Amino acid sequence: MYKIDHIKMTTPCNRRPGTYMQPEYITIHNTGNPKSTAANERSWLTNPSNNVTASYHIVIDERETIECLPLNEVGWHAGDGKNGTGNRKSIGIEICESGNYAKTLERAVELVARLLKERGWGVDRLRRHYDWSGKNCPRLMNADEKWTGWADFKTRVAAKLQPAVVPVSDQVTIVVNGNLLDQKGTLKNGVTTVPVRGVAEALGASVKWDGESRTVYINN
Ligand SMILES: [Zn+2]
């Protein structure tokens, strides 16, 4: 479920400055909190005890996806400063660590693939929080400290961007007495159809076509 629940412009600590943004990247985060759900992360943005200037566009967990800021407004998630490219030009996605993380991750792969597809972008538009500010985030994609999880994530997203598998070609290659014919046959409903003149002449036969009766005569 994709829920839109934007925080108000009046949210403290300038968490929604309302500044227009034309995004060029998508930045991936982990919440850094194994217990926090998407709903918890959304609530935190408007919790009176929250006194930090930090916000994010989308939070996602195993069940729901919540858009907390419009995707064309600036949020503060990249840690690269007020005028940093991460903050000014990227959509911040917080991947929750709570619950069934494998399921959450699969949902995140699908979400990110959709966002890229909608914009005509490839995985080259994806960034880690780490890329903007050096923070170890999304930390669960760096469990081995080699960012293998990050490479896997991008591979999985890229796979979703591939067009649906096209049917295998119905083209059939024809070889007559060891010689490859230029012309191709076709296989349809279990029947192979070949160009009769090409095959017959390759076999040394003569081919005559009677257009009136639509008949082919093959003689050798
Ligand atoms: Zn982060």
Side-chain angles (χ1 to χ4, degrees), residues 28-30 77 94 129 135 137-138:
I28 304 299
H29 304 262
N30 277 128
H77 56 89
E94 289 282 353
H129 185 175
K135 185 179 176 181
C137 178

Side-chain angles (χ1 to χ4, degrees), residues 22 143 202 205:
Q22 189 168 351

Side-chain angles (χ1 to χ4, degrees), residues 71-92:
L71 304 187
N72 61 357
E73 285 186 26
V74 165
W76 310 116
H77 56 89
D80 61 348
K82 190 165 152 272
N83 294 312
T85 307
N87 279 331
R88 289 297 186 135
K89 296 277 181 195
S90 84
I91 296 168

Side-chain angles (χ1 to χ4, degrees), residues 4 12 17 22 27 31 53 84 95 104 115 138 141 158 168 177 201:
I4 294 181
Q22 189 168 351
T27 301
T31 56
T53 300
I95 301 177
T104 301
L115 292 171
M141 296 187 192
V168 292
N177 293 329
E201 288 181 350

Side-chain angles (χ1 to χ4, degrees), residues 17-30:
T19 309
Y20 175 73
M21 170 177 81
Q22 189 168 351
E24 293 176 14
Y25 306 96
I26 293 174
T27 301
I28 304 299
H29 304 262
N30 277 128

Side-chain angles (χ1 to χ4, degrees), residues 170-174 184-188 191-195:
D170 60 359
Q171 186 170 290
V172 174
T173 300
I174 307 164
K184 303 290 180 188
T186 54
L187 173 61
K188 202 174 173 189
V191 177
T192 303
T193 304
V194 298

